[in-house]
Structure formats: C-alpha cells, structure tokens
Amino acid sequence: MRDKLIIGRSIDTGSWIHDLDPRAKLSAMLLYVVVIIMVSSWTGMALTALFSILVMYSTRISFRYYLKAMKPLRFLMLFIFIVQALTIKGGKALLTLGSFTLYSDGVETGMFSVARMALLVSFTAILTFTTTPGKLNLGLEGVLKPFKKVGMHPERLTLMISIALRFIPTILDETYKIMKAQSSRGADLKELPWKEKGRMLVSLLVPVTVNAFRRAQDLIHSMESRGFVINEPRTSLHSLTWARRDTGFLLLFVMLGAAVIVV
Amino acid sequence: MDRAEMHNKFGFLESDRHLSQEEQQIPALTFKEVSFSYHGQLSNIQSVSFTVPQGQWVTIVGSNGSGKSTLARLFNGLLMPDEGLIVTAGMELKPDYLPAIRRKVGMVFQNPDNQFVGSTVEEDIAFGLEGMCLPAQEIRKKVDLYAEQFGVSHLLKRHPSELSGGQKQRVALASVLAMEPEILVLDEASSMLDEQARRDLTETLQEMHCEGRYTILSITHDADEIMASERVLALREGAIIGDVSPDELFRDEELLSRCSLEAPFARKLVQELEARGLTKGQVRDEQELMDFLWSFN
Amino acid sequence: MVIQLDKVSFDYDARTPWANAALRHIDLGISAGEFIGVAGTTGSGKSTLLQLFNGIIKPTAGTVAVLDVVINAGQKTPKMREIRRRVGLVFQFPEQQMFEETVEKDICFGPMNFGASQEEAKQKALQAVLKMGLDPALLERSPFQLSGGQMRKAAIASVLAMEPDILVLDEPTATLDPVSRQELIRLLHTLCREEGRTIIMVTHRMDELLEAADRWVLLHKGECAFQGTARELAGRLDIMEQCGMAVPLPLACWSILSQRFNLGLEEPCLTPESLAERIAALGFTKTEGKAEDTPERNEEGLCATS
C-alpha cells in the first residue's frame, strides 16, 4: 500500500531542482497548469512533454518513479479516454459496429486528455519528489501570504496539510494491516459475496477511525507539550531565500507558455 | 553510544545553567491533594500528594489502567486537576502559566509514531523551537547539537517511516530536550521498543541523570529502568500506595504484586543464591553477578 | 512438519527507495505441537515471516508448505480459506482491530466467516474466552470497556475461536505490564502443551519466552541468523551480538556456567531457582576437585551491561 502512494514523498538526489525556492516551484506549477489547459495542438503538447521530460531529467530521479506515480491513475485515464472516444463524433469514421460508430475526433480528443493528465501528474510528482513536505508547506504559506491581509489564516491551512501529509501514509499502512488482520479472520474482500462486503467495511472502518482518533489525541498532546498554541506566532527552521535562478526557473515556464501560444 | 563520549557531550552544556542556592530549594514538582476524573467517570486520580526535589529521578509504577498516564498529563497541564494544587517548576498550574510551564516540562510519550510531528527528523526537532520564535540560525544550531547528542545526526533528512522505533524515540527525546526543559517526563517511552533499544534508552537516562541538569519522572514497567532510578512512586487505582526506593520496592513482594511488577532476573537469582548460602550480600548488580559466576567455586 | 519453508524469499515488488525489510532464502521447518519463539531487531522481517504462514502474503521465491497446502512462488495459489482458519494469525495490537459492539460479537466474527452458525459461534466464543482465562461475563460488554490486558486477551480469543491448529502471534505481550505478560505466555504455553496446538510467537523480550519456547528463530535483515534451542543459542551468543540484539540475562548467565564447566550438552537452567540450584551443585562438584580447568574468561558476546 505504501509503495502505491509514491506521490507525496520526497526523494533526495540533491539536484538543482531540489535546491530551488519552493515558492518558485509552486508558482511554476501554477504556470504549468495554465499551459496544460491552454495547449491545443499536438505540436504544443509535444513541446510541453519535451520540456517536462527535460525537467524530470534534471531532477536526477529515475523515470521509473514518475511512472509509478502515474500508475494509480491509469484506470481513471483509461476511463476518460473511453468516455471521450465513445461520445465525441466528428472526423473520419474509424470503426462501425451496428448502429455505433467510432470517430477519429473522439479518439484524438481522448488521447489528448490522457496526455494532459499524464503530464500534470508527472509534474506534480516533480514538485513533491524534489521538495520535502516541510518546505512545500513553507512555500505554500509564502504563496498564500497575501490572503492574510483579508483576514484568512494560511498557516492554519498549511498546518493541516502538513499533518495530513505526515499521517495519511501511516493511516493507510494501518488500514492495510487491519485489512490483513480481518482477512486472516476469514473476511477476505476478494472471496466474500457482495452483501458481506458491507460488513467487511464496518469491520475495517470502525478500528481505522478509532485508531485515527487515538493518534490525533497523542499528536495533540505531543504538540501541546512542546508549547504549540494555534495562531501564536512561530519562526521556521527553513528560511526561504529567493535567488536569481528561481526567477530564471519561472521565466522558463513563461517562455514555455509563450511558445505554446505561438505554435 | 560510548559512555565517556556521552558524558562529554552533556558535560559541555553544564555551564549553561548554574543553580543558585535559592533555586535549588524550589521543588521541581509538588502535588497537594490532587484529584482528577474524566467526565462522568469514577475518579482516576484520588487525592494524590507528593513532592519531587530538583534533579531527582523518579519512576512511577502501577498496573495497566492504574492512572499513571493520567497523572503524567497533569504535570504540564495537558489535563487540569479537579481539586488540589499542582506546582511545577515553581509555578502554580493555571491556564495563564501553561506556556511557561510547558517550556520547563518536556514529555516523551509511548507511541514513537504518534508524537512525530515533523515530516523529517530535523523538522520534528525544530517544531518546539519554532514555537519559541527563535531565529532560524539558532534553531539550526540547536537541532544539530541535540541531534548529535542523541545520535541521530545522520538521520536529519529522513522521514519517520524510515526510522526504527528506537531511533524515533531518540528523536522524540532530542525534540523535547532541544527546548531545554528542567523536567523530563517519560510516559512508557520504552514499552514499544525492542530489548536493545530499551537498554540504550535507560543508559541515556542514566547519563542525563548523572549530569544533574534534569529532574526525570518516568512511567515504566521495566525492572532495569526502575532499578536505575532513585525513587519509586507506586500507583494503584489512582492513589499512591508506595513511595519507596527501588531496592525497597523489589524487596516488598506484596507491593510488587499490587503494581503487577516482577523483580528483575538478576535480583531474583541473587536472592536464590543467598537463600542457598552461596553469596552473602557481596553481589549487588549485574556486573558483580557476572563476576561471581566467573569465579565462584 | 506442519510448516515447511524452502528457500523462501519475499520482496515488496515495488523497489522503492523506502522498501521494507524483505525476506531472503529462509529455510525453516516447524513440527506439530512446537512452541517457537521468533526474535530480531526492528525491521528484521519478523512480521513479514509470520504473514507467510497463513497465506496473507505469498513468497516471491521458494516454496511455503503449510499443513496440506503448498504455495509455490509464481504459481497460482490454491484457495486460502481453509489455511486461514487453521492458521490463526494474531497481528500486533490486536485489540486495535476490534469493531463490534460486544466482545461476543467480535469473537464470533471469525467462526461465522468460516461458516459456523450463530449458535456454534457463540459456543466457540465462550470456550475461547475461558481458554484465555477471561470472565465469561465480559462477553456482553463492549470491547472498549475492557482494560488493556483484558482487551488483548479478548482479541486473541477472537482468533482462537476459529479453532486453529497453528496459532501465530506478533508481539502479543508488547506494552502489557509484566504480570499480564507472564499470564499470557502461561496461557499460550498451556494451549501448546495440553491441546497440542503449534504456537509461533514473535517477541522483543526474549527473557519472557525462554522457558516456554522449544526452539528459537532469530532473524537479521531478512535472513535467518539462527535456528535452534536455547541450549544451542547459549553457545552462540556471538550471533545475537552480530544481529544487534541484547542477550537475555538468563542466557548470559548460563553461557558463563556452560563455558566454565563444559555444560554444552546439558539442558540450560534459565529460571532463578533452577539456575541457583545448578550453581549450588556445581560449587559442590568443584570442591571435590572435578572441574578444574576453567576456560579463559571470555566476555565477548556476553552480557551487554556495562
């Protein structure tokens, strides 16, 4: 279970991408999303893909991990492809089965959507692989700072995110363990009839929830005894410094955006 | 970790704090007729009174469910008493003083995973310091210093899932002690560790105690750790049923069974040997037991 | 042999940089009615090994034979249901897996999944509770109203109610107080001796299991570092040292005696009474001048205290 959730963990290879200011990476990510939405031609898509591959290469993290990060989403991608391929009509008729016809436009649009999604996921992976959750949070806090002026508390949000990122893998591991324990007691999800699956779910959700609450209680005690009070001012171990290369990194994305519009 | 090395590491910090005569008079912790109950339940802590002088190493023992953990959570106001008076590090336990009190009391809990706040070791050690609003360089300095002391320097960038239980508890200790508290409270901190990690932890506590900077209150079932401490408070059904030295505890069969404890093997063996007239009080610790086994005839 | 592992390896197939301890080339045979102690440091693969025994995980290389089922790596596995019932696996902190409103319902969950009627299941629950030394009145209570020790026993009863031939437990004594720990081990020992059930138990405190266990399996970094009796282990304490494990004091003491008086073939005395008795006897023989040549004192691999 843990290895399926590869996204959300950092892999330290010490590349220059790792050293970038998380704010730069987050803003770049935002620009990248815009580019992905704007891109409308296959040339543009190819350009974006090439760009992404270059960035992935610069992280010095094996491409295997990027593939792994995409793996959990393969069914969603397949689903999106099928829906679009089947519903969008236009272009050449590729295949006719009775009253149903598969059109080239549908297939093309489907493929385009899958490519978009794959790029987006792999880029999210770049962000999380190269940035420790702590730094990511700090970056997020920095990016969200303007909202403080309108009376919001970005640090509450970032605290929530950081705790979630820290504990979700633990809770998933535990869920997996409880699943194994219950299937050792004869409640195997695969072998049970449908009506029994509900019971199985209860046998899973009750202990998982109870344990999550216990964890939360422990965590609160641990944080409070280290003097934590919500909304009190805090400093940070990691201080962010914006360097010239961060600006450069962002500029690369602006250029990518411009290039995509032009082609 | 090498003992002499450990001594040095703790030793050079010693100059940080010199207790004045006056300071030494103030007990680290005072309980006066303290009672506490979780809402709607029977009383968990019943009229408990005791005083712990500064620098003492006290273990708190009792069977599962005797109220030990509840008691520990009253030390720094994670729980507030229903009745009675608690004075921690010279401050009465009141909501206003909580931040100050919590800086003086460091707590390490049982489950190594659930007290790991940061997503890396260094973030976890920094967590409390960030709350103290120290500047980044100072945090960095203390993180490095305390990571070094507890032998986790090489793990600073690691995620908790990559650490063993013993390593996580070391990080927990470093995180808490980086805030430089006066009182260290351990709530069954070694009970989820393997044997070797447990022995290492006891050894670390011994070093810390020798150095004299901390008052240590430790909840434990572990006979070796109890033996290493100076004083034992025995708890049963929320009341103190014994305030004795470890030696007295392990001599008192009745008290032992009332706290669901067992004497350590070495001690039982020595008793058996003495009963057979094979030794006469010359074997007092494990080392002497080993010496005896090597040399008796 | 009720369990036979033949060159078994297990890999978490995703080779992530955070991969857990896997198992490598494990050969292991366990006979019916044996009490096996499994030890090793954190991450040595203990929990993984246990999960092979009831087919919750399948070997990536080698062969696992459990009772009459053979699981070959890479082959399609037979139906696991019967094996799951006959090999009861108790995970760590089993009380944290309870979910029903009453203890009875929770204990009945297993038997009913394996086809018992409600009546039968209740009967089995009652028996299991009695075997675990619990008061049958607790059956009506919510699991969350029990004390820590009671809850642990009730959770073990919920596996015992499936009437397994082999009971496999992952650190069942962790976080219990010493008296509850001893009690639990005594109960397991009784199940083994009186009912002939095979018990396999992981512990991180070898001291507590030295008397009860027939044989020990020590794991280190996914490999089997030692297999054998406490007597054999007393002669190989260097292995424990290499595995980064603390040597239990009774074994360390016996090892000294064994070295001094050449007791290598004798069943070790590991309780305070029996050990003192043996020392008394040895002292007597010594005065008669029998065991004169004391071997050179060798502290390596002995007690870790300093």
Side-chain angles (χ1 to χ4, degrees), chain A residues 2 9 132-135 166-167 170 215 218-219 221-226 228 233-238, chain B residues 73 76 78 102 109 113-119 122-124 127 130-131 133-134 136 139 160-161 175 179:
Chain A
R2 181 184 288 165
R9 294 207 179 189
T132 63
K135 277 196 178 165
R166 158 73 187 84
F167 280 93
T170 319
R215 261 182 214 289
D218 282 3
L219 183 68
H221 277 165
S222 171
M223 288 167 69
E224 281 189 352
S225 37
R226 285 193 251 168
F228 179 78
R234 293 172 66 79
T235 50
S236 177
L237 166 66
H238 305 292
Chain B
R73 281 163 176 70
N76 68 346
L78 288 176
R102 285 182 182 160
F109 298 88
D113 240 316
N114 297 359
Q115 58 188 309
F116 207 110
V117 183
S119 51
E122 63 177 9
E123 280 170 26
D124 195 58
F127 182 80
E130 292 173 341
C133 290
L134 298 180
I139 296 180
S161 66
S175 312
M179 295 174 69

